[in-house]
Amino acid sequence: MKNTHPQGSAQTLAERITEWLTFDNMHHQWLLLAACFWVIFMFMVASKFITLTFKDPDAYSAKQEFLLLTAVPDVGKLPGEKHFPEELKPTGKVLSDSRLVQPLVYMERLELIRNVCRDEALKNLSHTAVSKFVLDRIFVCDKHKILFCQTPKVGNTQWKKVLIVLNGAFPSIEEIPENVVHDHEKNGLPRLSSFSDAEIQKRLKTYFKFFIVRDPFERLISAFKDKFVHNPRFEPWYRHEIAPGIIRKYRRNRTETRGIQFEDFVRYLGDPNHRWLDLQFGDHIIHWVTYVELCAPCEIKYSVIGHHETLEDDAPYILKEAGIDHLVSYPTIPPGITVYNRTKVERYFLGISKRDIRRLYARFEGDFKLFGYQKPDFLLN
């Protein structure tokens, strides 16, 4: 009996120690398990935060551009008023970081148009009816849902070639004969005016729409040179019908026997009563009427406005936004041909009275302001 009691005590102690160790291990296991659950929970929270912040890089980029846009001072905007065209919504197309700033330029151009269109003081210079004359200027590519408004003397021949290829009339730009480009019975380019009213409205609302502009006065110089000096496409009516009509009404020196001069041309365009001659000249006036009269930018919401001066950047951007950059390329642009030439402008306007230049500017002021071209004070003052 004396020997069994200590043995039983020892056994009991051993069992208690085993139970304590077992409990201690289980306690550590529970602590470890709780710690694991805590880590998993924190990871899930962090993961959710990361997902919310970065799941849509395009939306982030668009938001960033939108914020930048609101900081740009706008002409004619009322304090605290913000208006953004529907076309400014993100397209969903991914751009590299190096090109993030590029779309902002085109967004600013559209916003400037919206601001000027709302300026009541410029209403007569910025608004026009979407008439048959305007619809005749807009060429249609149904296959790729594109509308292009023609603004002559701004590189439009090349854009028409692009659309001709897209419409399938010719396999490549190089294969299009020059005499076909402007022959609307052969070039396969339907005009928007050829559709019914319902079809016109549908295309205006849903198609990608664009046109190109350049400095208004430099465009007039180009039109004068092309139609009255060089006349490259054998269009005799400009020299033999239109030029004499302008000379008869606007030449001051009646003894002057030279052909039409740029001064005559400027006086005709700046005359507030020029329309009676315009009616006689018919559609030939498209080479020198305003962009407003040609394309109605306050009435039609264009997707992109390209500038002739930055055509090397604008042409690829337009093709990309229209979704056709993998199908066709804009023809090579000769170096320096699109650069604004102030010296040339000064030379052509040399000797023309300030009164006549101011009257010319008064007619084209809407174009200068709508498209962000600087007022030519060096000619006006």
Side-chain angles (χ1 to χ4, degrees):
M1 292 293 293
K2 291 181 180 179
N3 292 334
T4 58
H5 181 70
Q7 185 177 359
S9 298
Q11 184 177 1
T12 302
L13 180 62
E15 288 175 353
R16 289 180 178 177
I17 291 173
T18 301
E19 290 175 357
W20 181 81
L21 289 174
T22 301
F23 174 80
D24 188 64
N25 284 339
M26 290 179 65
H27 180 69
H28 279 84
Q29 289 174 356
W30 279 106
L31 287 175
L32 183 61
L33 187 60
C36 289
F37 275 117
W38 176 254
V39 170
I40 292 171
F41 173 76
M42 291 302 295
F43 178 79
M44 289 174 65
V45 171
S47 176
K48 183 68 174 177
F49 176 77
I50 292 170
T51 302
L52 287 171
T53 308
F54 297 109
K55 72 175 180 179
D56 190 355
D58 287 339
Y60 171 77
S61 299
K63 183 178 179 182
Q64 184 183 49
E65 291 166 4
F66 186 88
L67 292 173
L68 284 169
L69 183 60
T70 62
V72 178
D74 294 315
V75 179
K77 176 174 285 188
L78 298 175
E81 186 179 11
K82 295 183 178 67
H83 293 273
F84 297 96
E86 292 178 3
E87 284 74 17
L88 297 190
K89 293 178 181 178
T91 61
K93 298 179 181 180
V94 179
L95 294 173
S96 64
D97 291 341
S98 63
R99 295 189 62 196
L100 266 179
V101 72
Q102 193 177 40
L104 181 60
V105 172
Y106 307 104
M107 295 168 73
E108 288 174 346
R109 291 175 184 174
L110 294 175
E111 177 62 4
L112 176 60
I113 290 173
R114 289 290 298 270
N115 289 333
V116 176
C117 289
R118 293 196 305 270
D119 189 340
E120 288 294 324
L122 293 171
K123 189 171 183 178
N124 291 337
L125 294 171
S126 60
H127 289 262
T128 191
V130 183
S131 62
K132 184 179 183 300
F133 182 81
V134 171
L135 297 175
D136 278 343
R137 311 280 76 79
I138 300 176
F139 295 101
V140 181
C141 175
D142 276 330
K143 187 176 181 180
H144 299 282
K145 297 186 176 181
I146 297 171
L147 299 180
F148 167 62
C149 185
Q150 179 186 21
T151 50
K153 316 325 310 163
V154 191
N156 281 259
T157 298
Q158 306 305 329
W159 283 110
K160 287 170 82 170
K161 289 180 179 179
V162 168
L163 293 183
I164 289 169
V165 171
L166 289 174
N167 276 349
F170 288 87
S172 69
I173 287 175
E174 293 73 24
E175 296 179 57
I176 304 173
E178 285 297 322
N179 64 326
V180 169
V181 179
H182 301 287
D183 187 335
H184 301 298
E185 294 182 0
K186 298 179 180 178
N187 64 17
L189 288 180
R191 298 173 189 263
L192 191 55
S193 59
S194 65
F195 297 88
S196 69
D197 289 345
E199 290 173 326
I200 289 170
Q201 290 305 316
K202 177 184 176 183
R203 286 165 175 79
L204 285 175
K205 288 179 181 178
T206 61
Y207 280 21
F208 177 87
K209 302 171 289 293
F210 77 101
F211 67 94
I212 313 296
V213 297
R214 73 187 293 187
D215 178 86
F217 279 6
E218 196 170 36
R219 172 175 169 253
L220 295 179
I221 291 171
S222 177
F224 178 79
K225 287 169 59 180
D226 184 40
K227 300 305 173 187
F228 300 111
V229 180
H230 303 313
N231 206 218
R233 297 193 194 96
F234 190 67
E235 299 165 317
W237 48 88
Y238 287 101
R239 285 184 179 175
H240 301 308
E241 297 176 23
I242 295 178
I246 294 173
I247 291 172
R248 278 194 300 270
K249 181 164 178 61
Y250 296 103
R251 177 155 294 177
R252 287 178 176 163
N253 184 358
R254 298 297 179 180
T255 62
E256 176 64 68
T257 58
R258 290 184 301 169
I260 187 171
Q261 302 297 299
F262 189 62
E263 182 180 9
D264 306 321
F265 189 55
V266 167
R267 203 169 291 126
Y268 150 58
L269 294 178
D271 183 2
N273 300 312
H274 62 84
R275 295 194 184 280
W276 76 273
L277 262 188
D278 290 350
L279 291 173
Q280 295 181 42
F281 298 157
D283 279 1
H284 301 307
I285 64 173
I286 65 171
H287 298 281
W288 50 77
V289 297
T290 66
Y291 299 127
V292 171
E293 294 169 281
L294 291 169
C295 299
C298 287
E299 286 65 39
I300 299 174
K301 293 183 178 180
Y302 287 90
S303 311
V304 178
I305 305 297
H307 280 223
H308 186 258
E309 294 82 1
T310 54
L311 197 57
E312 289 187 3
D313 294 325
D314 292 4
Y317 180 80
I318 290 169
L319 295 177
K320 178 178 175 57
E321 287 297 293
I324 55 174
D325 54 322
H326 62 292
L327 300 173
V328 66
S329 298
Y330 189 83
T332 302
I333 302 171
I337 197 171
T338 64
V339 177
Y340 173 72
N341 189 336
R342 173 170 166 163
T343 302
K344 178 180 69 177
V345 173
E346 288 177 325
R347 186 174 72 250
Y348 267 84
F349 281 92
L350 184 66
I352 300 178
S353 72
K354 299 296 183 185
R355 172 183 173 273
D356 289 338
I357 299 175
R358 287 174 188 143
R359 289 178 71 171
L360 181 69
Y361 177 76
R363 179 179 175 187
F364 286 85
E365 183 181 6
D367 282 359
F368 275 95
K369 293 196 172 181
L370 278 165
F371 305 107
Y373 286 102
Q374 189 172 358
K375 183 179 180 181
D377 288 322
F378 64 95
L379 297 175
L380 300 169
N381 300 326

